[in-house]
Amino acid sequence: MSQSLVDALRLSPLPRPPVWIMRQAGRYLPEYRELRERHSFKEAVSTPEVAAEITLQPIRRFGLDGAVIFADIMTPLEGMGVEMTFDPGPTLRPYTLREVLELPDLDTDRVGFVAETIRRVGTEVPSETAVIGFAGAPVTLLAYLLEGGGSKDFFAMRVALRADTTAAAAALEKLAREMRVYLGMQVEAGAHVVQLFDTWAGLVDLATFESLAVPAARASLAGLDAPTIYFAPGSGHTLELQAKVGANGYGVDWRTPIMEAWARLGEVAVQGNLDPAVLLTDPATIASEVKALLNQVAGRPGHIMNLGHGIDRHTPPENVTAFVEAIRA
Ligand code: 1CP
């Protein structure tokens, strides 16, 4: 049995687009908040039974076409000896470029819980639901490593890419190599699709995006035995260059009209691009926005319904039901 998400990434014509939602397993769900009362974020991620349960919560509630594994983009760095806490975002001591270069290779045994979560989810989801693995892209991981946590503008990363380009390129290559290993582990464990999150790559200028972000993202995904998605929100200026990452599909945020983005990306699958704010409105508005998006796409093969970025934690779950029903109607 094939999964419609896989079929869409292969550009097969489908009766309706597959649908999943970035950050679908998380804080807007009361059953997630209830489980998190008993387990810290890290404990939940590293306990396959709990991580699999959280992954399955939105599948049970909404019957989505993809089940994204509950973990974090920072999780594999813990398998490279990087210590961090989550409150709620990742917090760590700021690393220098040199320290990033000297990090040990990923020890996949130390993140074997992610593979185990994938195996468990694989036995429990309906056969037509795709299991989605993921990793952070090198530029985005480097941003958190150099900054020591979240930031609005990640100046430490932007300074490093300009001031110390050779060392930065080497650090990105290293992160790419380790993320390729980490994604390979996930595919081997049964992930049907993998997504690379490059949340902060849109902060860099076009030339840096082309010379550093693209090769690092490309190397992270090269030769994987599963269809791939690359997602760099806030990166409308880079769409033509993103195509060089070589993914099967691309996530598009809500700032660029979907068909304009598609024309600039080329013959690939496109995922998105409903504004997450739409899910904070009401079922009638949601239905009309979904209809407008589907009308623009007009059944072009390779469309995957999703939001333009993660679902907001204040989203009423009933609005997600309305979103999914509008697509299936
Ligand atoms: O319960 C909590 O308090 C934890 C909140 C939370 C959750 C639910 C964090 C901390 N991470 C996650 C899970 C997560 N993160 C998933 C799996 C679940 C799903 O998608 O359903 C995924 C794919 C991510 C990916 C992720 N983590 C990204 C890329 C996606 C994006 O939104 O652009 C990023 C940038 C992170 C870092 C991170 N982890 C957590 C937070 C709050 C953040 C953002 C921190 C910041 O920059 O300030």
Side-chain angles (χ1 to χ4, degrees):
M1 173 97 205
S2 72
Q3 296 82 31
S4 62
L5 183 60
V6 170
D7 294 338
L9 286 164
R10 295 197 172 122
L11 307 183
S12 307
L14 295 169
R16 64 158 181 86
V19 53
W20 69 286
I21 301 171
M22 288 185 280
R23 240 180 276 151
Q24 66 192 25
R27 291 177 284 181
Y28 73 103
L29 283 178
E31 56 270 35
Y32 172 82
R33 295 196 298 269
E34 200 262 322
L35 254 180
R36 281 278 282 100
E37 276 170 27
R38 282 178 280 131
H39 305 278
S40 70
F41 178 74
K42 265 169 64 162
E43 188 180 84
V45 166
S46 60
T47 312
E49 191 190 339
V50 177
E53 172 57 26
I54 293 174
T55 302
L56 293 165
Q57 283 175 345
I59 309 304
R60 290 201 196 101
R61 221 188 229 264
F62 311 114
L64 298 157
D65 298 306
V68 59
I69 293 300
F70 185 72
D72 195 76
I73 58 166
M74 299 298 282
T75 301
L77 298 182
E78 297 190 271
M80 296 169 70
V82 176
E83 286 178 27
M84 69 192 77
T85 54
F86 284 89
D87 49 5
T91 308
L92 53 153
R93 80 167 169 84
Y95 278 65
T96 64
L97 264 186
R98 184 125 331 267
E99 287 174 324
V100 174
L101 280 167
E102 285 164 4
L103 284 175
D105 291 350
L106 172 68
D107 176 354
T108 50
D109 287 345
R110 286 180 70 179
V111 289
F113 51 82
V114 173
E116 180 55 27
T117 300
I118 290 172
R119 284 190 284 270
R120 276 179 182 254
V121 170
T123 62
E124 293 197 41
V125 288
S127 60
E128 64 273 17
T129 306
V131 177
I132 306 170
F134 70 90
V139 166
T140 292
L141 296 177
L142 190 67
Y144 283 104
L145 282 165
L146 300 183
E147 197 73 39
S151 159
K152 196 160 51 71
D153 24 45
F154 286 98
F155 275 117
M157 174 271 283
R158 287 156 66 192
V159 167
L161 298 197
R162 286 185 186 269
D164 209 350
T165 311
T166 309
L172 293 171
E173 256 173 55
K174 181 198 177 79
L175 291 167
R177 199 163 57 237
E178 302 314 320
M179 290 312 107
R180 173 61 183 78
V181 170
Y182 179 62
L183 289 169
M185 176 192 85
Q186 296 182 55
V187 172
E188 206 167 294
H192 300 107
V193 169
V194 299
Q195 177 158 317
L196 195 67
F197 286 95
D198 216 347
T199 306
W200 303 112
L203 289 175
V204 308
D205 64 286
L206 219 48
T208 307
F209 188 86
E210 180 165 33
S211 60
L212 293 175
V214 168
R218 188 177 178 88
S220 308
L221 296 174
L224 283 167
D225 195 13
T228 58
I229 304 168
Y230 176 73
F231 174 57
S235 301
H237 59 304
T238 70
L239 284 163
E240 289 83 0
L241 294 173
Q242 286 185 44
K244 298 188 184 182
V245 168
N248 297 91
Y250 292 83
V252 174
D253 74 17
W254 63 94
R255 295 170 182 91
T256 311
I258 191 162
M259 297 317 282
E260 180 197 320
W262 212 329
R264 291 169 58 198
L265 283 162
E267 277 309 303
V268 291
V270 166
Q271 170 175 287
N273 70 336
L274 201 73
D275 185 343
V278 170
L279 291 198
L280 292 165
T281 63
D282 54 88
T285 306
I286 292 166
S288 76
E289 293 275 354
V290 165
K291 201 168 164 199
L293 179 56
L294 292 175
N295 282 341
Q296 288 175 64
V297 173
R300 178 164 167 178
H303 180 223
I304 299 160
M305 263 289 190
N306 202 318
L307 304 181
H309 202 160
I311 187 170
D312 183 79
R313 60 181 298 194
H314 299 109
T315 304
E318 313 83 77
N319 285 0
V320 177
T321 306
F323 171 62
V324 174
E325 280 177 0
I327 297 158
R328 299 199 168 143

